[in-house]
Amino acid sequence: MCGIIAYKGNRNANEVIIKGLKRLEYRGYDSWGIGIKNHEIKITKKLGKIGAVSLKDLNLENANIGIGHTRWATHGSVTEENAHPHLSKDKKIAVVHNGIIENYQQLKKFLQQIGIEFKSETDTEVIPQYISYLIKQGKTFEQATKETLNKIEGSFAIVAIKQDENTMIGARRGSPLVLGTNENEFFLASDVPAFLEYTKDVVYLDDDEIVVINNNLKIFNLKDNTELKKPKELINWTLEQAQKENYPHYMLKEINEQKFTVKNAIEQPPELIQKVTKMIKESFGVFFVGCGTSYHACVSSSYTFAHITKKHVNAVLASEFRNYENFLTDQTLIIAVSQSGETADLLDAVKTAKRKNCKIVSICNVVGSTLTRLADENIMMNSGPEICVLSTKTYTAQLAVLLLLAYGSADRLDYAKEKIQQASVAIPKIIDNNLEKLKELAKKLKDHKSIFLLGRDLAYPSALEGALKIKEVSYIHAEGFAGGELKHGTIALIEKGTPVIVFITKWTKQLILSNATEVKSRGAYIVGTNAEENELYDFFIKTPELGNANPIVMIIPIQILAYYLAIERGCDPDKPRNLAKSVTVK
Ligand code: AGP
């Protein structure tokens, strides 16, 4: 959940690292640090977001090797001491780390028993301390790092540097690390946008791989130390795509990009869609698995599959997937849905399914991510980099891909493309027609303690997703629920002025309007999202009626409302508190 960037080459490492950290900040932003090496290693650590920090402010001496880290605390509170990089006792080894070391207490105890004092509360500090200990036993920097990492249980992506050596060592197990190369310069980072400005040539490291960069570059298998030849891949993302253009926040930019990204999502190789729909038809048991917003796309699509293909699909939370292990066979198909392809709970679920010889299809947005290398088939969402911590454009892209697969499994692919085309055309109109109204609504609702969202059928998962967006970015408690559940409890929370957002579709109109009547009679303030006005509504948001494509368009106004609620409440839409873009720990 943290962001790592490291550089070795002829440029000023400080500049590369500061720029890289700013591009990785969506991964964690409670503190950051940089370590550069000339004759000795100089460490700078700061609390909070890196924000607009400039090199001038830091006044760092130039250097050609450096490591940087932006943190999302898991072990140890948010302090400068716990920020990375961490140093060995003799200050000769510096390490940045993303992941969780499950056996750090044993390793720490062993090192403390031989007189090594620890400065921080983190699990990470055992790495530089242990490397330094082994070097004192006569091991080389490379040998000591390999041996230390083989002692570690848990997940890691690390980069280490050593005072009197021009060597940079990176390794991963369970957390992402990608290598960027250019003429005589090397980049290591948690994600490509960190160094996209300098190179598009990348090498994706797999689990238990270590790269040693000094005068040359070598990659080894950490377990058996065999040297590996890894393919270079060319990234087709532009730096502009990873920038805000003229929008005040990535969230607003990415919401507006959906008119394109929904269409891009269905530009898939026909033979791939054919292959996957055949796998769906022939499988015995289909599971849609994801976390957070991706899980909501799974729930929504389990409904469209029920409507269109008459095929039962289980939508399962990745963190609860283990409960279904007994139902998995080599006839089972897992469709793993993830923006980042690095979500630890999902990777865990996929590994559980692979142990049962299930077939794995991923729907993912990051080429080369861990999920795409675990899966048998990958459907890339083509949404471009999503920088805002909140998933918006990748949610509607997931819905579009799954709708394409649903209609494809019913041999109605062209109809799917037509429907999804209608949705992508409708998106800019929905935004233009409702923008000013939604800003006004945000002003009205900004001080409420709770907002409720209700829907039935396809609109139920839309209510869940809408609530998540409002919670994530405005910190207002929001609850999405199925209209039919209202009378079974939640209605107890409805009182005078309680905001209730109601999603109405053609198929659920009567039932959901009676739910709206029930809460209205308890004084609720009704926000109706629908194709047509109704006297029940205190506030109306117009969205088109698009049948099974409704979830793609129904969520757009709520994404915008969430954005303006954040603005009204002075919250940072791109970096909400306590969250990170990809959750790489379980
Ligand atoms: C959604 O806005 C959040 N960022 C979060 O719930 C996210 O959907 C979840 O962590 C899953 O991430 P993934 O799609 O990258 O696997």
Side-chain angles (χ1 to χ4, degrees), residues 198-420:
Y198 306 104
T199 181
K200 290 180 186 291
D201 286 334
V202 305
V203 175
Y204 289 99
L205 296 177
D206 276 312
D207 278 352
D208 290 308
E209 290 183 354
I210 182 165
V211 55
V212 180
I213 304 167
N214 36 40
N215 305 332
N216 55 25
L217 174 147
K218 286 199 172 143
I219 301 177
F220 300 89
N221 175 304
L222 199 49
K223 290 253 169 59
D224 61 18
N225 208 26
T226 49
E227 188 172 349
L228 305 169
K229 290 278 169 267
K230 301 274 296 184
K232 254 193 202 161
E233 300 184 39
L234 190 66
I235 292 292
N236 62 7
W237 286 349
T238 64
L239 186 60
E240 288 61 44
Q241 279 180 302
Q243 290 174 328
K244 259 186 253 171
E245 291 167 9
N246 308 331
Y247 288 92
H249 297 99
Y250 284 106
M251 184 175 180
L252 196 59
K253 174 198 173 214
E254 288 158 5
I255 289 173
N256 282 282
E257 277 182 304
Q258 293 176 98
K259 57 182 173 279
F260 305 119
T261 51
V262 165
K263 258 198 317 230
N264 298 351
I266 57 169
E267 273 146 26
Q268 301 291 343
E271 63 281 1
L272 173 63
I273 297 304
Q274 231 156 31
K275 190 169 187 183
V276 174
T277 50
K278 187 163 175 292
M279 290 166 82
I280 292 169
K281 286 181 202 165
E282 291 170 356
S283 62
F284 184 76
V286 178
F287 289 81
F288 290 174
V289 189
C291 302
T293 289
S294 297
Y295 168 67
H296 293 152
C298 293
V299 177
S300 187
S301 306
S302 68
Y303 281 76
T304 45
F305 265 74
H307 292 171
I308 298 166
T309 70
K310 314 278 179 284
K311 181 142 186 136
H312 173 220
V313 168
N314 307 285
V316 176
L317 275 167
S319 52
E320 296 295 326
F321 184 73
R322 286 168 187 251
N323 300 300
Y324 296 82
E325 209 165 335
N326 299 332
F327 308 119
L328 306 179
T329 70
D330 57 5
Q331 301 302 305
T332 308
L333 174 65
I334 308 297
I335 300 205
V337 181
S338 173
Q339 185 287 127
S340 62
E342 300 294 352
T343 301
D345 284 323
L346 184 66
L347 299 179
D348 207 41
V350 167
K351 288 172 186 161
T352 300
K354 281 179 83 74
R355 281 194 295 276
K356 295 276 186 165
N357 301 318
C358 301
K359 281 277 171 294
I360 315 289
V361 170
S362 89
I363 297 178
C364 187
N365 193 43
V366 179
V367 177
S369 59
T370 309
L371 175 62
T372 60
R373 281 178 281 122
L374 285 171
D376 303 297
E377 298 295 337
N378 296 301
I379 301 178
M380 303 315 297
M381 289 149 51
N382 309 327
S383 303
E386 186 174 63
I387 307 295
C388 172
V389 167
L390 274 73
S391 302
T392 52
K393 64 178 180 176
T394 55
Y395 173 64
T396 51
Q398 289 163 351
L399 293 173
V401 169
L402 285 158
L403 192 60
L404 190 72
L405 292 178
Y407 278 115
S409 307
D411 305 321
R412 299 172 62 198
L413 218 45
D414 295 343
Y415 182 75
K417 292 181 178 162
E418 199 189 305
K419 266 271 175 251
I420 295 163

Side-chain angles (χ1 to χ4, degrees), residues 87-261:
L87 284 173
S88 56
K89 186 173 171 210
D90 60 8
K91 298 191 172 25
K92 290 191 175 165
I93 308 290
V95 167
V96 289
H97 166 234
N98 172 25
I100 287 188
I101 301 173
E102 287 155 12
N103 62 337
Y104 85 99
Q105 273 140 332
Q106 291 110 290
L107 297 170
K108 187 171 181 175
K109 203 143 151 258
F110 163 75
L111 292 164
Q112 286 171 323
Q113 278 161 354
I114 56 172
I116 294 173
E117 293 118 34
F118 279 68
K119 281 225 168 48
S120 77
E121 305 159 301
T122 67
D123 53 340
T124 301
E125 194 184 343
V126 293
I127 302 177
Q129 300 285 26
Y130 211 96
I131 293 172
S132 165
Y133 157 70
L134 290 176
I135 290 175
K136 290 198 175 58
Q137 310 300 305
K139 301 277 167 56
T140 65
F141 177 33
E142 180 179 334
Q143 289 165 336
T145 307
K146 287 176 178 172
E147 199 171 320
T148 300
L149 296 175
N150 278 322
K151 282 205 176 309
I152 285 176
E153 286 155 29
S155 62
F156 60 77
I158 69 128
V159 183
I161 54 175
K162 182 171 182 292
Q163 180 170 315
D164 46 17
E165 274 193 38
N166 245 349
T167 304
M168 182 163 81
I169 298 179
R172 67 154 292 172
R173 181 192 301 146
S175 299
L177 194 67
V178 58
L179 168 69
T181 63
N182 238 348
E183 201 62 34
N184 300 323
E185 59 179 0
F186 306 93
F187 308 79
L188 281 166
S190 303
D191 206 348
V192 170
F195 56 67
L196 194 56
E197 171 178 349
Y198 306 104
T199 181
K200 290 180 186 291
D201 286 334
V202 305
V203 175
Y204 289 99
L205 296 177
D206 276 312
D207 278 352
D208 290 308
E209 290 183 354
I210 182 165
V211 55
V212 180
I213 304 167
N214 36 40
N215 305 332
N216 55 25
L217 174 147
K218 286 199 172 143
I219 301 177
F220 300 89
N221 175 304
L222 199 49
K223 290 253 169 59
D224 61 18
N225 208 26
T226 49
E227 188 172 349
L228 305 169
K229 290 278 169 267
K230 301 274 296 184
K232 254 193 202 161
E233 300 184 39
L234 190 66
I235 292 292
N236 62 7
W237 286 349
T238 64
L239 186 60
E240 288 61 44
Q241 279 180 302
Q243 290 174 328
K244 259 186 253 171
E245 291 167 9
N246 308 331
Y247 288 92
H249 297 99
Y250 284 106
M251 184 175 180
L252 196 59
K253 174 198 173 214
E254 288 158 5
I255 289 173
N256 282 282
E257 277 182 304
Q258 293 176 98
K259 57 182 173 279
F260 305 119
T261 51

